[in-house]
Amino acid sequence: MQAKPALKFLLMPFYYRIEKFIKNASLEMNRKGKKVLEVGAGECPYKKYFTNATYFSNDENQNLQNSINYVCDFEKGIQELEDSSLDYIYSTQVLEHIKRPHKFYAECNRLLKKGGKLYLTTNFIYPIHMEPRDYFRFTHYGLKHLGDDSGFKVERISDHGGFFSTFVYMLVTTPNKLFFKENSKLALIYIVVFSP
């Protein structure tokens, strides 16, 4: 059972930060003549920010809207796309599910034009999810190494959270996971009362 969008943002406020990150990044990416690929697009929740650019999506499975352009394992490459054919690639909360992160970066590097950019988000301290396909957690140093090693110039890596938000997340969600059925009314009441 999927959490409703409002409940999802309440239970996991990092979704708000991810959405804000993509919205801000789209101010650069969403221009006529630019080609943008979302890797691990799922239901394409951020497509709405790309009304001027040519937007493409990739995922391993087709979604309910039948809006995934390239259904394939990104690590193995998108054979239909030529080298240096994209201006921007972005991916949210996918890197931790990639078995071979170097191959992910290599494919991004192959697809991006000279001067193209990769935007991504990933987890650091977060529970195991989408089992058994949850492989890694990355530090700043690991992300920089992957980027540098794959030929990228890493411009910026920034935290979304930190000790306090991690502590609060664990404080709020632990009793919920122990005592309440996921997405139940009691769980929602608990979150609403104790989150602030």
Side-chain angles (χ1 to χ4, degrees):
M1 176 187 241
Q2 289 286 339
K4 292 183 172 70
L7 180 59
K8 185 177 182 181
F9 277 92
L10 185 61
L11 294 173
M12 295 174 273
F14 65 85
Y15 280 112
Y16 168 78
R17 292 192 301 273
I18 293 168
E19 176 117 13
K20 187 176 177 185
F21 170 74
I22 294 300
K23 186 177 181 180
N24 289 337
S26 74
L27 298 175
E28 176 186 352
M29 294 187 273
N30 186 30
R31 293 180 285 156
K32 285 198 182 299
K34 298 298 181 184
K35 293 181 179 178
V36 178
L37 172 68
E38 181 178 5
V39 177
E43 301 301 316
C44 304
Y46 308 116
K47 182 178 181 178
K48 62 189 173 193
Y49 296 120
F50 299 96
T51 54
N52 295 321
T54 303
Y55 169 92
F56 300 103
S57 57
N58 155 260
D59 211 314
E60 289 189 348
N61 300 299
Q62 188 57 264
N63 62 23
L64 296 173
Q65 296 81 27
N66 203 33
S67 62
I68 299 296
N69 301 104
Y70 302 104
V71 179
C72 63
D73 181 346
F74 189 77
E75 282 181 75
K76 295 178 181 173
I78 300 177
Q79 305 306 318
E80 299 93 334
L81 288 176
E82 296 179 4
D83 294 1
S84 305
S85 58
L86 300 170
D87 298 286
Y88 301 98
I89 296 173
Y90 75 92
S91 178
T92 62
Q93 308 308 100
V94 172
L95 192 61
E96 67 270 20
H97 301 289
I98 302 289
K99 280 185 183 176
R100 296 166 197 88
H102 278 90
K103 290 196 176 221
F104 173 91
Y105 274 84
E107 179 65 356
C108 289
N109 201 8
R110 180 187 78 80
L111 292 172
L112 285 168
K113 296 176 182 176
K114 185 174 183 177
K117 290 186 179 179
L118 168 64
Y119 291 88
L120 63 85
T121 67
T122 187
N123 295 318
F124 178 54
I125 297 175
Y126 193 76
I128 293 174
H129 58 288
M130 292 177 60
E131 294 178 56
R133 299 195 56 198
D134 190 359
Y135 304 112
F136 298 102
R137 297 295 181 267
F138 298 93
T139 64
H140 284 107
Y141 309 106
L143 290 170
K144 184 166 182 349
H145 167 72
L146 283 167
D148 290 343
D149 205 40
S150 301
F152 283 92
K153 177 186 172 199
V154 179
E155 291 183 2
R156 186 165 57 109
I157 298 173
S158 60
D159 291 334
H160 291 269
F163 173 80
F164 183 72
S165 63
T166 301
F167 176 72
V168 169
Y169 174 79
M170 294 171 87
L171 188 67
V172 169
T173 59
T174 300
N176 211 356
K177 291 184 184 303
L178 293 175
F179 304 117
F180 304 121
K181 187 176 178 182
E182 189 176 358
N183 296 325
S184 71
K185 287 181 183 179
L186 284 175
L188 178 59
I189 291 167
Y190 174 82
I191 292 293
V192 169
V193 170
F194 289 101
S195 285

